[in-house]
Amino acid sequence: MALIPSSFFGGRRGNIFDPVSLDIWDPFQDFPFTGGAFSAPRSEFASDTAAVANTRIDWKETPEAHVFKADLPGLKKEEVKVEVEEGRVLQISGERNKEKEEKNDRWHRVERSSGRFLRRFRLPENAKVDQVKAAMENGVLTVTVPKEEVKKPEVKAIDISG
């Protein structure tokens, strides 16, 4: 038995207190937006949030480079933009368009996210930002940022006289 009822968090089964949980708690989920800036339909508002949050990116550091991998299924390389801004900020962005609805279509479930996504990463000092390379294969974007070689301090032995 849970201490907090699942209805409190919109009926989701995930644990919002888990830092690696993929559930996103939307405090405005059941709030009736009427007029003003929040007059967008609920599904559009939620899908934009989901598109940003569901762009999963791994960052690993090897002895030679920083490697970023993003799962972007269904996107073409022309729909994705990789930039280095402000000197050391890697920005990966793009947009997944909604499927066109036909007049006679009846949707039973919509789980795939659509909308814009944007992720930013501050690169460390040893990143060679002028040599960034990106490749897209089978819906996986790989961005490689080479690292500068760390020069080991030269140790010079001093003879002791006397």
Side-chain angles (χ1 to χ4, degrees):
M1 180 165 111
L3 295 175
I4 301 172
S6 64
S7 62
F8 184 76
F9 299 111
R12 290 195 263 302
R13 294 185 176 262
N15 181 354
I16 67 154
F17 299 111
D18 180 5
V20 291
S21 174
L22 298 177
D23 284 346
I24 299 168
W25 179 55
D26 183 2
F28 302 108
Q29 180 176 356
D30 297 318
F31 193 78
F33 292 111
T34 56
F38 295 105
S39 61
R42 186 73 205 139
S43 61
E44 181 182 327
F45 199 73
S47 68
D48 284 346
T49 303
V52 171
N54 287 332
T55 305
R56 296 182 178 100
I57 299 180
D58 296 337
W59 176 3
K60 74 174 178 180
E61 183 176 357
T62 67
E64 299 82 29
H66 295 276
V67 181
F68 298 83
K69 288 195 176 203
D71 289 339
L72 302 171
L75 288 181
K76 300 177 195 134
K77 67 179 185 177
E78 296 81 21
E79 298 171 316
V80 179
K81 193 188 303 186
V82 178
E83 302 170 304
V84 176
E85 60 179 29
E86 299 175 16
R88 296 214 172 284
V89 177
L90 175 68
Q91 179 173 298
I92 300 171
S93 61
E95 184 169 2
R96 180 176 286 122
N97 295 319
K98 287 185 182 178
E99 196 169 313
K100 292 182 180 164
E101 294 184 31
E102 297 295 324
K103 189 175 185 178
N104 296 327
D105 288 349
R106 189 174 107 194
W107 292 87
H108 292 278
R109 192 162 189 89
V110 178
E111 294 184 344
R112 296 182 306 146
S113 61
S114 63
R116 287 183 228 120
F117 64 90
L118 173 98
R119 296 292 306 273
R120 288 185 174 149
F121 302 92
R122 182 161 307 281
L123 297 171
E125 293 293 322
N126 66 349
K128 292 182 180 179
V129 293
D130 57 333
Q131 296 179 16
V132 176
K133 291 189 169 104
M136 184 89 134
E137 186 175 340
N138 295 327
V140 177
L141 173 71
T142 303
V143 179
T144 306
V145 183
K147 291 173 27 179
E148 293 177 4
E149 292 180 27
V150 179
K151 295 182 180 178
K152 294 181 181 177
E154 200 173 301
V155 179
K156 181 179 176 185
I158 308 295
D159 289 331
I160 301 172
S161 61

